[in-house]
Amino acid sequence: MSRVDIKIDGIDDLLADLKRVGKISDELLVDALNDIARDTQQNAVNGIKRGPASGRTYKRGAKTHKASAPGQYPMSDTGRLLSNIEVREATKAKKVSNVGTNILYGAYLEFGTPSMAKRPWLLRSFRKAAKGVAKELKAKLEARA
């Protein structure tokens, strides 16, 4: 699986502080990690499905394809990347969730190549998913209080 590891500076200290005051359980942490992972996957799928596609139009055989422009989500052509964006969920024993693909060109699209500008889809999707995490975690903590 092509993967991007993301480390959030200070998250370990924050989680340790929260655990010390008894406000967060392993279950709540695992739920939050898995929510982010699933949201990242959904954001990636939606971004690739919806475009925008403002790049060049070209023909490959009988099929016409409108590509994305550099910097945009990649436009789906065959659906292969879309159908291979996978989530490995965190557990209480392993508090890490992963989102990625086993499709090699997923990394080429994300980071670009010497002959192709990047069309980021994974990190962009993670950032969008992570925006609501603090608010969601706060709401879950308040619901437990």
Side-chain angles (χ1 to χ4, degrees):
M1 177 187 293
S2 298
R3 72 176 219 204
V4 176
D5 291 327
I6 298 169
K7 178 162 176 41
I8 302 171
D9 290 332
I11 193 76
D12 293 331
D13 294 335
L14 172 63
L15 294 174
D17 289 345
L18 288 171
K19 276 191 164 202
R20 252 185 257 117
V21 297
K23 288 192 173 184
I24 191 167
S25 67
D26 284 348
E27 185 177 318
L28 187 60
L29 174 59
V30 167
D31 285 348
L33 289 170
N34 290 334
D35 285 348
I36 294 169
R38 287 187 295 268
D39 287 351
T40 298
Q41 179 191 37
Q42 193 59 55
N43 291 340
V45 167
N46 290 341
I48 293 169
K49 277 184 180 177
R50 296 183 184 145
S54 58
R56 69 184 183 92
T57 301
Y58 60 91
K59 272 190 120 156
R60 186 173 47 248
K63 186 175 180 181
T64 300
H65 178 71
K66 176 91 171 170
S68 58
Q72 295 177 337
Y73 273 99
M75 253 336 264
S76 184
D77 186 10
T78 64
R80 189 167 171 233
L81 178 60
L82 278 175
S83 62
N84 284 283
I85 300 172
E86 302 171 352
V87 173
R88 290 191 191 140
E89 293 194 350
T91 64
K92 286 183 183 179
K94 186 176 180 188
K95 294 175 189 70
V96 174
S97 50
N98 296 297
V99 181
T101 184
N102 60 354
I103 305 300
L104 184 60
Y105 68 81
Y108 300 158
L109 290 166
E110 182 72 21
F111 303 110
T113 68
S115 60
M116 180 187 74
K118 62 185 176 180
R119 271 104 173 139
W121 59 276
L122 186 56
L123 188 55
R124 161 186 287 171
S125 297
F126 168 77
R127 285 185 177 136
K128 184 176 179 184
K131 279 184 183 178
V133 138
K135 191 182 291 185
E136 183 178 322
L137 194 52
K138 182 180 177 189
K140 285 182 179 184
L141 289 170
E142 288 172 351
R144 293 181 61 205

